[in-house]
Coordinates of all heavy atoms in Angstrom, one line a residue:
Q976 N 96.5 -17.1 -85.0 CA 95.7 -18.3 -84.9 C 95.5 -18.8 -86.3 O 95.5 -18.1 -87.3 CB 94.4 -18.0 -84.3 CG 94.4 -17.6 -82.8 CD 93.0 -17.7 -82.2 OE1 92.4 -18.8 -82.1 NE2 92.5 -16.5 -81.7
F1038 N 89.6 -9.8 -88.7 CA 90.1 -11.0 -88.2 C 89.1 -11.8 -87.5 O 88.2 -11.2 -86.7 CB 91.3 -10.7 -87.2 CG 92.4 -9.9 -87.8 CD1 92.5 -8.6 -87.6 CD2 93.3 -10.5 -88.6 CE1 93.5 -7.8 -88.1 CE2 94.4 -9.8 -89.2 CZ 94.5 -8.4 -88.9
P1039 N 88.9 -13.1 -87.7 CA 87.9 -13.9 -87.0 C 88.2 -13.9 -85.5 O 89.3 -13.7 -85.0 CB 88.2 -15.3 -87.5 CG 88.9 -15.1 -88.9 CD 89.7 -13.9 -88.7
F1040 N 87.1 -13.9 -84.8 CA 87.2 -13.7 -83.3 C 86.3 -14.8 -82.6 O 85.4 -15.3 -83.2 CB 86.8 -12.3 -82.9 CG 85.5 -11.9 -83.4 CD1 84.3 -12.1 -82.6 CD2 85.3 -11.2 -84.6 CE1 83.1 -11.7 -83.1 CE2 84.1 -10.8 -85.0 CZ 83.0 -11.0 -84.3
S1041 N 86.7 -15.0 -81.3 CA 86.0 -16.0 -80.5 C 84.6 -15.5 -80.2 O 84.4 -14.2 -80.1 CB 86.8 -16.2 -79.3 OG 86.1 -17.2 -78.4
P1042 N 83.6 -16.3 -80.0 CA 83.7 -17.8 -80.0 C 83.4 -18.4 -81.3 O 83.7 -19.6 -81.5 CB 82.6 -18.2 -79.0 CG 81.5 -17.1 -79.2 CD 82.3 -15.9 -79.4
G1043 N 82.8 -17.7 -82.3 CA 82.4 -18.3 -83.5 C 83.5 -18.5 -84.6 O 83.5 -19.4 -85.3
F1044 N 84.5 -17.6 -84.6 CA 85.6 -17.6 -85.6 C 85.1 -17.7 -87.0 O 85.6 -18.4 -87.8 CB 86.6 -18.8 -85.3 CG 87.4 -18.7 -84.0 CD1 87.0 -19.4 -82.9 CD2 88.4 -17.7 -83.9 CE1 87.7 -19.3 -81.7 CE2 89.1 -17.6 -82.7 CZ 88.8 -18.3 -81.6
R1045 N 84.0 -16.9 -87.2 CA 83.4 -16.9 -88.5 C 84.3 -16.1 -89.5 O 84.9 -15.1 -89.1 CB 82.0 -16.3 -88.5 CG 81.0 -17.1 -87.8 CD 80.7 -18.4 -88.5 NE 79.7 -19.2 -87.9 CZ 79.2 -20.4 -88.3 NH1 79.8 -21.0 -89.3 NH2 78.3 -21.0 -87.7

Side-chain angles (χ1 to χ4, degrees):
Q976 294 195 61
F1038 301 99
F1040 53 88
S1041 178
F1044 292 104
R1045 293 292 186 183

